[in-house]
Amino acid sequence: MNFDQLNTFISVVETGSFQKTAKTKYVSQRSVSQSMQKLEEELGFELFKRGKNKIIVTDQGQAFFLKTKEMLHSYFVEINSLRHQTTSVHQEFKIGYFSPFEGALMRKQVYAFSKKYPNIKFKITEESIEHLISDVSLGILDMAYILDYGSQEFLTKNLTSKTVFQSTMVIGVSKLNPLSQNNTFPIKALKDKPMLYYSPEKTNYLKHAFLATLPEAYQNIPVARVSTIEQMQTLVTANQANAYYPDGLIQLGSNTESEISYLPLQGNENSQKFKIQSIYPKQSKKCNLIKQFLG
């Protein structure tokens, strides 16, 4: 498996044709077909269903397409960043965040800080909560924004934290659903549809945190991770699922949808409190910079 294969695969999915991809890459259609067949053999599953003069992307192929685009995008962003690194007076500040919700809060702070200190060069990473904790502990990141929700412990002995935001989790419900007209989301309705949460990487942190806040009778409801905000919002909008969100941060970002109502969980508001914590090493060369950034 190589970059040329993956780029060819992306082109085939986007054009819907081996022939069109072959023309754009100035190779034969047979070459494209053989490359995709070899890729399927390496992966161990079908990417396409082949018919007469047409191809259909399989479910596994569609999932692999999304992951491949995300991976290649991250790779080229990183390469481009390395190409433009200089030995100037810029000081690098590496920050991680968990989701676009915390990302919106981070952007406001980055903007305000950059106005005061234009020589700071920011490097930003989106990762799972577990990955962020690990990267800050190892010094790969200078600090990270963590969604502190439920009763789970996340700080290690070498990390400290500061609360930068707090509110409650709310349930997103399609306005096609009559429940969207309520002031609160009935807890019994948790069994009506699958419950979704967002994470850029595979993680059970938010799933376990959410289930732990519920009465015992509801701790086995189906809860599933979604890897893109767009997919989660679409499924909720179509009334195929509900999802849980950090209230207050939805409004900061660009993810508020007129088709979705965000409701507190009935009788469970206190257990749904969360904090956004900035975590960073207790002993760090950049402690003063981090404290200035956080105010």
Side-chain angles (χ1 to χ4, degrees), residues 244-259:
Y244 49 103
Y245 304 79
D247 193 28
L249 296 181
I250 307 168
Q251 295 83 351
L252 275 180
S254 58
N255 299 298
T256 302
E257 301 288 349
S258 59
E259 301 88 356

Side-chain angles (χ1 to χ4, degrees), residues 66 98-101 147 169-174 194-200 206 223-246 250 255-257 259-260 262:
L66 294 173
F98 170 62
S99 79
F101 303 119
L147 178 62
M169 301 296 284
V170 290
I171 308 298
V173 185
S174 170
M195 185 65 67
L196 306 179
Y197 67 96
Y198 168 79
S199 175
L206 280 185
V223 177
R225 179 183 78 93
V226 179
S227 60
T228 70
I229 289 292
E230 292 77 12
Q231 183 184 8
M232 186 167 81
Q233 296 295 73
T234 300
L235 290 171
V236 173
T237 297
N239 202 24
Q240 295 180 23
N242 299 316
Y244 49 103
Y245 304 79
I250 307 168
N255 299 298
T256 302
E257 301 288 349
E259 301 88 356
I260 299 175
Y262 300 95

